[in-house]
Amino acid sequence: MSERFDFTGDELAPAYRAAVDAIEAGDLVVLPTDTVYGVAADAFKADAVQRLLDAKSAGRDMPPPVLISVVESLDALATDVPDAGRKLCEEFWPGPLTVICHAQSSLMWDLGDTQGTVSLRVPDHENTRELLSRTGPLAVSSANKSGQAAALDVYDAEDQLGESVAVYLDGGEAAGGASSTIVDITGDTPRVVRVGAISLDQLRAVVPEVTTDPDDPTEESPAESSTEDEPAEDKLVEGEPADEKPADEKPVDEKPVEDGSAEEKSAGEPTDGVVAASKEDGEKKPDSNVRPAD
């Protein structure tokens, strides 16, 4: 049976405890972000990620993005991050920017058909970042059934996802309706895949060489908020350069945890079918048409 907790004010201990317990058990949690509500699962538990996709009626061709609590975790999950891409992350995180990166090859997880990439974001929501510091990286997609509008409050999320979610965190109405802007930084020149809450002009004020997807319109209107605060439909990256961690070891966000709750270690061992992000000689470049789940 699902539980709902108040995720505002100062009395947050029960909400954090319930959410961490649910994530560690491989269950789903609905949480607020700075854009829309998202449904979250342990990024390192393949069965939990599949449960997330099933709850949304989404296929493996729509892999969920991964939320992290601090920008410093970028290099624990992604590799070969270009200077231009790093500048964008440092400028707009926390915030509505999702970046598609090459996944760190030392990590093993199964987020769907990612083709060796992972989409990452640091949400501008203090309580959710604190939760992320306790759970570790979470696969998070918009809290809605595929094809439906993303939930802007916990009740809408509950109506759409029902008992498939163990814990609902009520943070009030979501602050922003626009989805995050998605930028592919797998190459030397950042490429905008979707214009959302951050405009092209804002991106180019930081990195002038930012280009646009030739297949997408270059208008600066916000993208539809059909994806979680940063779950957009773009290719998903799986990892970042870290200190060559063993494949079965999870990176830890570098934010201190106040009560000793599990940091980015809540994930379990990889299961059969887990996809390891790796770069082999002659390996094909990730297909830029593969997009993360909504």
Side-chain angles (χ1 to χ4, degrees), residues 63-252:
V66 173
L67 296 191
I68 53 180
S69 67
V70 290
V71 67
E72 288 80 7
S73 291
L74 176 65
D75 290 320
L77 298 178
T79 188
D80 299 330
V81 178
D83 289 342
R86 193 178 300 277
K87 284 181 181 179
L88 293 176
C89 292
E90 292 173 348
E91 175 68 21
F92 295 108
W93 281 358
L97 172 70
T98 298
V99 293
I100 300 169
C101 319
H102 290 295
Q104 172 57 244
S105 61
S106 64
L107 299 175
M108 295 184 68
W109 49 11
D110 186 3
L111 297 169
D113 298 334
T114 66
Q115 300 190 27
T117 64
V118 65
S119 296
L120 300 173
R121 187 166 93 85
V122 178
D124 189 11
H125 192 289
E126 184 177 358
N127 292 346
T128 292
R129 288 200 309 277
E130 172 61 25
L131 176 61
L132 287 162
S133 77
R134 301 175 184 223
T135 61
L138 295 179
V140 182
S141 187
S142 53
N144 59 280
K145 290 287 187 180
S146 290
Q148 301 299 312
L152 295 181
D153 62 49
V154 74
Y155 302 103
D156 187 8
E158 220 170 339
D159 286 342
Q160 295 195 55
L161 301 177
E163 294 296 316
S164 63
V165 172
V167 172
Y168 287 88
L169 300 178
D170 184 0
E173 187 171 354
S179 299
S180 65
T181 292
I182 303 173
V183 179
D184 183 343
I185 61 172
T186 58
D188 291 334
T189 302
R191 178 178 62 84
V192 177
V193 174
R194 181 185 72 186
V195 176
I198 299 172
S199 71
L200 184 59
D201 285 344
Q202 288 175 295
L203 295 173
R204 285 178 170 166
V206 178
V207 178
E209 63 267 32
V210 169
T211 186
T212 58
D213 189 328
D215 297 326
D216 286 350
T218 58
E219 296 142 18
E220 311 251 343
S221 58
E224 297 180 37
S225 59
S226 61
T227 68
E228 200 276 319
D229 36 337
E230 41 82 46
E233 312 198 332
D234 191 17
K235 81 186 173 183
L236 178 63
V237 181
E238 298 198 13
E240 251 247 325
D243 298 331
E244 287 304 71
K245 297 179 182 296
D248 62 346
E249 184 177 339
K250 294 178 62 179
V252 177

Side-chain angles (χ1 to χ4, degrees), residues 24-42:
E24 290 182 340
D27 293 327
L28 304 183
V29 172
V30 159
L31 45 73
T33 74
D34 49 330
T35 55
V36 298
Y37 269 73
V39 56
D42 189 330

Side-chain angles (χ1 to χ4, degrees), residues 230-288:
E230 41 82 46
E233 312 198 332
D234 191 17
K235 81 186 173 183
L236 178 63
V237 181
E238 298 198 13
E240 251 247 325
D243 298 331
E244 287 304 71
K245 297 179 182 296
D248 62 346
E249 184 177 339
K250 294 178 62 179
V252 177
D253 273 358
E254 299 183 15
K255 175 182 176 184
V257 179
E258 296 182 3
D259 62 350
S261 305
E263 275 234 29
E264 314 225 52
K265 65 173 180 61
S266 63
E269 279 94 356
T271 60
D272 291 342
V274 166
V275 178
S278 61
K279 300 175 65 180
E280 301 176 319
D281 293 334
E283 182 181 39
K284 295 169 64 177
K285 185 177 180 180
D287 182 354
S288 60

